[in-house]
Structure formats: structure tokens, C-alpha cells
Amino acid sequence: MSAAGPMLQIRELHKSFGRTEILKGLDLDVDRGAVVCILGPSGSGKSTLLRCVNRLETVDAGWISVDGELVGYRRRGNRLYELPDKEVARARANVGMVFQHLHLFPHMTALDNVTLGPTLVHKESKPVAEDHARELLGRVGLADRASAFPNELSGGQQQRIAIARALAMRPSLILFDEPTSALDPELVGEVLEAMRNLANSGMTMVVVTHEVAFAREVADTVAFMDGGVIVEAGPPRQVLEHPQHRRTGEFLSKVL
Amino acid sequence: MLRRADPRLLQAAPDAGYDGDGAGGPTGGGIAAAGTRGGSGEDEPPSAPAGIVTEPFAAQPLATGPTGTGPGGAAELIGGEPATVVRLRHPWRWVAGALVALLVAMLVRSLATNPRFDWSVVRENFTTHATLMGLWVTIELTVISMAIGIILGTVLAVLRLSPNPLVSSASWVYVWVFRGTPVIVQILFWNFVAALYPTLSIGIPFGPSFVQGNANTVVTPFVAAILGLGLNEAAYMAEIVRAGILSVPEGQSEAALSLGLTRLQTMRTIVLPQAMRVIVPPTGNEVISMLKTSSLASVIAVTELLYSVQIVYSRTFQQIPLLLVAVIWYLIVTTILNVGQYYLERRFARGSARSLPLTPWQRLRRLVGTNHARPAMAGAASPAPRSDRR
Ligand SMILES: Nc1ncnc2c1ncn2[C@@H]1O[C@H](COP(=O)(O)OP(=O)(O)O)[C@@H](O)[C@H]1O
Ligand SMILES: [Mg+2]
């Protein structure tokens, strides 16, 4: 753990699927406690970027570091050694992820969804994990649904439990991949509210979203991504109201 | 004349709210069904999906009509005129039913009157020591072979999905060989394996060995049967487990991995439990199939159920009655297994189906039509598999 330096650093990141290059030398820094919202057209590689940060995808070139540690590799001298499964898992525990498609575990109650990681990965005892889980469920406004199964909950409730599940690991960084895109419009607000509270609590967050209003209000930095690179990044007011880049302007005129 | 007023349809629909006490009405089925779904005191209002979980009764047009009119008649107001609802008749069902009844009667008469069935011999041999021992060996063969099949099959399925091509093709080759040859040939092969390897030893490959044994004493016919049945079964189970694993959306393992679970933990706590819903039904079939296939062990003189009765009839020449002894025992055990499979499937439907199907017992009670037999009962019963979790 290094207290200095950005929480997330991405340098010259390249990633291809087969012959198609999706990420083309992408750079991004996220400071501790900062909220970065990434906007961009569909297919521009936003999900791929987040998946690389959590090493659900391997990278072809460039590097990513979270909290001062390289993702997926260890450097010795001028060589990078690929990390074994166990250490990749340990590093992932430090990065929370909330998915677009509400990947709660359907065969477990809300409470068990939240306690699974802490008990298996951090080896917390069941009572300790459950106390913490109940507190987190309270924070996302679902203290009374601890024993519900996901299919008994609305999409918005499921997504808030997914947020509690990510928080339970006490991560340094949480990645959100379009957390409200699969929700009915009337359920979007409650999830954004939970995320806003989280941002106010000082959590470092990278949020891929189409909710421009949320980005404007909550983000410290808005980054616009297109064609596998970050086209421009800066304070929300600047990027959203005076975009420097033509493509940013075009995109914003479509979503606003 | 196919359509006519049928007063009985009033009796047919009491569960759907036509109970004449006014409490039913069109939402009767809906309320009951919402109870079915929530079941655990949830405060969700009766909603659209309710229609899906109601029983066929409620789904019939009659039950969804505007208002019940009490026990007196099926009159409804359509276009201001009183109209009588008639139910579609199915005359061919009656013809088919009569035909089946006739055939059953003929069979029963033959069973009862043909002296060559020799029911007294069946009765005498039904619970002899030899028969019961044979039954026990059959059960042992089934249980042990299935255990080997399930464990080895799961390992093979996981290996098959490994990113390492060498490992996954080894699993493929195993399935290819063991599924591609008759199980009876495999049983015979293991029985004669001593001819191939007279001594078996455990030790370091190409190095010293720690334990040695004569293959003929290690691989008894019983062991040969277990090997033949179990290793063959593993090939089939591998495919079943693989299909189950593939049925779990990839997002599930990604969510687990992103929490920091290792691949093994993810497989054990997230993927396999969800795969069970797909794995359990065909595995139940495999168990029942194994019970019957274990009779092949008779060819290498393992005294399981079939061979036990064969020993007796080779002496007494009462083949048919003794085979009936085996037949009845096989039917008894498969029936028990069927019931077990049914409840196991219910258990693993948790978290996927919105409401569990009724148990036969619940269905029976509904049919009898007591007050407890309303669809809401399913709600009272469905949390059971949930609440027993901790
Ligand atoms: N596993 C994969 N294999 C092949 N192509 C992929 C894979 N994942 C994503 N892609 C492709 O990469 C491109 C970027 O995808 P994605 O990162 O999901 O974009 P976004 O999230 O910005 O919409 C898309 O064209 C998609 O088809
Ligand atoms: Mg995406």
C-alpha cells in the first residue's frame, strides 16, 4: 500500500480481440478519492477497459496499476512476471466491480451475496461478516431485505445490493459499468442516489455511464472515450459544456 | 352436439375463486398465486405474473370472467344478455380412455388367471435371503458406481473446460473411449484385466513400488463391475455436468472472480450450485438407468439381484416367477428413486423458478378440495426449502 500517487494509473494500454484492436494506447489517472465518469459511444471499449483493470481480460501492451501495484504482473528488474491465479484473485479483492446486468448470485439471499467475498477471501467469521453486511445493506437502504432472494427484488434493489456486495470487500476502488443502463427508468434514481452517497464518503470510483446529469454533479473528472482512447478529460463543466474535441461535442449533442 | 351447459363446471372451478362466497371473484386466482410466489410474508401486491403460476383451472376462460355469480348457475352478463358458459367436450378422450381400461382389464385377468405366473413362487422367493442379498448388492453397485461416475464426471467436465488444450483433450478422449464402447464390454474387460497386468502396484512411475498385489485378488468380479459401470458412467456424467456448467451465465463467474474468489472457489460456490438445476434431472435418470444396467454384472457372476434369481431358477426351472421377483424389486426401487428425484429437483429450483411446483401431496389435497387445498397452500409450503438453509 502506497499512500502517495494516483489510485489508478493506466499507461499506453493496448488490447485486441483477434485482429480488432479495441484499446489503442489508452492513458488514464484516477486520484485517491476521485470520481471519474467515462462517457463514450457504445462499442468504444469502455467495458473492456474496466475489465482490464480487474484483469477479467489480459492486456496486450502497456500497464495498469492499482494502489501502486501492477495489475496481473510483478516487476523484477526489467521483466514483468505474470502473477499466479491466487495473487490475481487477491488483487481483485481490492477492486470492486458493479456490472450492467446485475450479476447477483440468484441462489443466495441478499445477505449471503454480500458476505460471500469477505468470508471466502478475507476469511472473516460469519458473524463479523454478517454484521458488516447488514450495516452496508442499511447504507444502500435495504436493511429489511437481507433475507430476500434476488428474484424477489426489483432491478434497482438488486443493483444496490450489488453495490453493497462490492463495498463489503473494503476495496480501494470501485468500477461501475453502466450500472443503471439495464434498469427501468423509475429505478435509476435510487441507484444513482446510492452511488452519490458512496462518492461523498470518499470512495474512489470509475463510473462508465450515460447519465450525463450524474456525471456533471458527482464527477471530479469526466473522460470522453472513443475509438479505444480517452479523447479528452477534465472537470465536468469544461468537458460537458465546452468540449474541445469535435467527437465529444457530437456525442454530447446526441445524449443530451 | 359438442357444446352444452355443464353444471359440473362449477364444481370444477372452486379453487379459482368460484367458491360462491363472494370472496373469490376474478382476482381469486391472482391473490392465491401471489401468495404462492412471495410465500415468505413479502408485501408485494398481486401482479401480472400471477397468471403464470396459477393452476390450469384459473387459466380457463371461465375463471377469468368478470364476476362469479354464486353457486346457483354459470350465468354471466355478456352484451347485457345472460349467457351460459359451456365447456368444450373431448369425445375422443373417452374413446381412448375406454380402450386403455379394456387393455388393463385384459392384463389384470391374465396376471390373475394364468397359472404359469405362479404367484405363490413369486411370494415364496420375494424376501428370501438370497433375493435380499442380491438386492443389496444391486444397490451397492448402483451407489458406488454412481458415486464414482458423479465425482469423476465432475472432474472430467471441469478439465474439459480447462484453457489448457492438453488437459481438455485428455478429458475429451476419455469420454470418447468410454462412451464409444458398450458397457458390457468394459465390464468384461475389467474382469479380465489380470491377463493384461498380472500384478498391480502403487509406487513412483518408472521407480520403486510401495504396494503390490495380484491383479486377480485385487480386481474381484465385484470390483470389475464397479470399474466397468463407474468409469463408463463418468463419461456420461461428464457431459451432463459440462452442460450444467455451461448453462450458468458467464457474468456469474465474472462477478465472483471480481470479488476476489479463486477459480476453484468460484466453481464450487457459484457455478456448480447453479448448474445443479440443469444437472440434477438427468442425473436422476442416470441413477435409475444405473440400477437397471447393474444387472449386466450378472455376466461376470456378481450375485446382484438378477444373478441371484438366475441361480435359483437354474435349479428350479421357474424362470418366469423368479424373473418377476426381480422385476417387482426393480420397480419398487425405481419408484422410490423417482420420488427422491422429484424432491431433489424442487430443492435445486430455488432462486430460479418464481414458484415451486406443487408436490403430489399438495396436488392431491387440492383435488380433494378442502379449504387448505387452495393455491395459497403452495405459498405456505414453498419457503420450506429456503428456511432449512441454516
Ligand atoms: N470477448 C470479446 N471478444 C471479441 N470481441 C469483443 C469481446 N469483448 C468485447 N468485444 C468487442 O470490443 C468492442 C468494445 O466492446 P466494449 O468494451 O463492450 O464497448 P463498450 O462497453 O464501450 O460498449 C466491441 O466491438 C465488442 O464487440
Ligand atoms: Mg459496455
Side-chain angles (χ1 to χ4, degrees):
Chain A
M1 283 249 176
S2 64
M7 180 64 80
L8 172 66
Q9 279 184 292
I10 301 175
R11 287 290 174 277
E12 272 299 305
L13 189 65
H14 289 265
K15 172 68 186 176
S16 304
F17 290 114
R19 292 237 195 96
T20 335
E21 190 168 45
I22 305 298
L23 300 178
K24 303 171 181 168
L26 184 143
D27 295 303
L28 181 70
D29 276 4
V30 180
D31 288 333
R32 283 158 200 281
V35 175
V36 174
C37 284
I38 299 180
L39 306 179
S42 154
S44 56
K46 305 181 298 295
S47 299
T48 306
L49 170 65
L50 294 193
R51 292 164 59 81
C52 286
V53 173
N54 218 349
R55 206 160 173 79
L56 291 172
E57 304 285 355
T58 56
V59 304
D60 299 329
W63 54 265
I64 303 171
S65 84
V66 173
D67 210 356
E69 286 188 44
L70 273 185
V71 171
Y73 300 92
R74 176 176 297 121
R75 179 191 291 275
R76 275 215 208 95
N78 57 0
R79 282 175 188 240
L80 292 181
Y81 294 88
E82 209 169 319
L83 288 177
D85 190 34
K86 254 218 160 78
E87 289 187 46
V88 172
R90 194 183 52 79
R92 281 194 188 117
N94 197 28
V95 179
M97 188 142 179
V98 176
F99 299 85
Q100 177 178 357
H101 291 292
L102 329 168
H103 297 312
L104 285 188
F105 306 128
H107 58 304
M108 297 180 175
T109 62
L111 190 73
D112 290 343
N113 263 278
V114 180
T115 56
L116 180 80
T119 48
L120 281 184
V121 179
H122 291 331
K123 311 290 178 205
E124 278 178 31
S125 75
K126 195 104 191 168
V128 170
E130 285 189 358
D131 279 351
H132 187 211
R134 283 180 201 282
E135 182 206 318
L136 291 171
L137 287 175
R139 264 174 72 183
V140 295
L142 289 168
D144 54 333
R145 305 313 304 271
S147 58
F149 281 83
N151 67 1
E152 300 164 346
L153 299 167
S154 74
Q157 290 174 326
Q158 290 185 44
Q159 197 60 300
R160 284 185 280 153
I161 286 171
I163 293 172
R165 180 175 72 181
L167 283 176
M169 298 301 292
R170 305 176 198 274
S172 312
L173 166 70
I174 300 193
L175 313 172
F176 293 84
D177 190 2
E178 302 196 29
T180 57
S181 299
L183 299 179
D184 291 337
E186 76 270 22
L187 303 175
V188 168
E190 60 190 62
V191 173
L192 293 182
E193 176 64 24
M195 291 168 61
R196 193 176 294 121
N197 292 339
L198 191 56
N200 291 337
S201 76
M203 175 61 71
T204 312
M205 295 161 59
V206 177
V207 184
V208 171
T209 185
H210 293 303
E211 301 286 336
V212 176
F214 175 83
R216 188 193 317 259
E217 181 200 346
V218 178
D220 300 295
T221 302
V222 170
F224 177 72
M225 186 169 168
D226 194 11
V229 293
I230 303 273
V231 176
E232 69 175 293
R237 195 139 302 173
Q238 181 196 315
V239 176
L240 296 175
E241 273 149 41
H242 309 286
Q244 304 296 307
H245 209 283
R246 186 178 51 82
R247 278 186 288 176
T248 317
E250 282 171 9
F251 175 77
L252 288 172
S253 68
K254 271 184 226 148
V255 299
L256 280 176
Chain B
M1 197 61 172
L2 285 185
R3 311 192 99 220
R4 65 179 174 80
D6 183 359
R8 275 176 308 166
L9 53 74
L10 278 175
Q11 264 89 56
D15 285 348
Y18 274 75
D19 42 9
D21 62 8
T27 54
I31 289 169
T36 308
R37 176 155 57 101
S40 45
E42 309 301 353
D43 52 3
E44 297 195 32
S47 55
I52 296 166
V53 291
T54 50
E55 284 288 293
F57 279 156
Q60 284 165 8
L62 173 69
T64 53
T67 39
T69 52
E76 306 205 358
L77 283 175
I78 296 169
E81 294 288 317
T84 310
V85 177
V86 290
R87 188 185 252 183
L88 188 60
R89 312 310 311 271
H90 301 278
W92 285 108
R93 285 189 197 165
W94 289 100
V95 175
L99 214 64
V100 170
L102 182 70
L103 288 173
V104 169
M106 286 165 68
L107 179 69
V108 169
R109 198 181 74 123
S110 160
L111 284 173
T113 57
N114 186 338
R116 276 159 294 193
F117 277 113
D118 235 335
W119 289 104
S120 63
V121 177
V122 173
R123 209 174 306 120
E124 277 161 27
N125 284 282
F126 197 64
T127 52
T128 57
H129 182 72
T131 305
L132 292 182
M133 280 313 290
L135 177 66
W136 177 243
V137 173
T138 287
I139 291 172
E140 273 184 327
L141 282 175
T142 306
V143 170
I144 300 174
S145 306
M146 273 317 292
I148 293 175
I150 288 171
I151 294 168
L152 187 57
T154 307
V155 172
L156 285 166
V158 172
L159 295 185
R160 180 74 194 278
L161 296 168
S162 154
N164 181 338
L166 213 65
V167 170
S168 76
S169 30
S171 169
W172 182 87
V173 168
Y174 181 100
V175 173
W176 176 65
V177 170
F178 282 86
R179 228 170 44 155
T181 51
V183 63
I184 189 158
V185 174
Q186 293 173 35
I187 292 173
L188 288 168
F189 185 90
W190 291 111
N191 195 40
F192 297 122
V193 77
L196 196 57
Y197 300 106
T199 55
L200 300 175
S201 60
I202 300 173
I204 297 166
F206 307 108
S209 67
F210 308 129
V211 189
Q212 262 194 355
N214 181 330
N216 263 328
T217 54
V218 177
V219 186
T220 61
F222 183 80
V223 172
I226 292 280
L227 286 173
L229 294 169
L231 298 185
N232 179 263
E233 185 57 33
Y236 286 89
M237 283 307 302
E239 291 299 291
I240 291 172
V241 174
R242 189 168 75 102
I245 291 174
L246 291 177
S247 78
V248 179
E250 207 171 353
Q252 286 290 311
S253 17
E254 291 188 345
L257 290 173
S258 77
L259 281 176
L261 271 65
T262 61
R263 293 199 167 274
L264 204 65
Q265 286 173 325
T266 300
M267 185 56 77
R268 220 185 52 228
T269 60
I270 302 302
V271 178
L272 284 180
Q274 291 185 61
M276 286 311 249
R277 197 166 47 85
V278 172
I279 293 173
V280 166
T283 304
N285 295 341
E286 290 297 306
V287 175
I288 289 166
S289 165
M290 176 64 80
L291 181 84
K292 297 176 292 175
T293 311
S294 68
S295 61
L296 290 179
S298 61
V299 299
I300 55 170
V302 175
T303 48
E304 43 68 67
L305 185 54
L306 176 61
Y307 196 63
S308 307
V309 301
Q310 282 177 329
I311 292 173
V312 179
Y313 73 60
S314 65
R315 192 160 26 85
T316 65
F317 299 102
Q318 295 160 317
Q319 289 91 341
I320 292 294
L322 278 150
L323 284 172
L324 276 176
V325 168
V327 163
I328 294 170
W329 272 120
Y330 281 121
L331 277 175
I332 289 174
V333 182
T334 47
T335 305
I336 295 170
L337 289 174
N338 267 319
V339 173
Q341 179 183 14
Y342 180 84
Y343 281 95
L344 213 60
E345 280 176 30
R346 270 174 65 86
R347 170 78 173 70
F348 283 107
R350 192 182 61 217
S352 58
R354 276 187 169 265
S355 74
L356 295 173
L358 300 183
T359 62
W361 176 236
Q362 287 166 336
R363 270 173 217 271
L364 191 70
R365 292 212 292 192
R366 285 199 59 186
L367 206 66
V368 173
T370 63
N371 267 346
H372 310 285
R374 287 162 178 255
M377 265 311 287
S382 64
R386 294 181 176 173
S387 55
D388 64 10
R389 299 188 67 242
R390 53 183 64 205

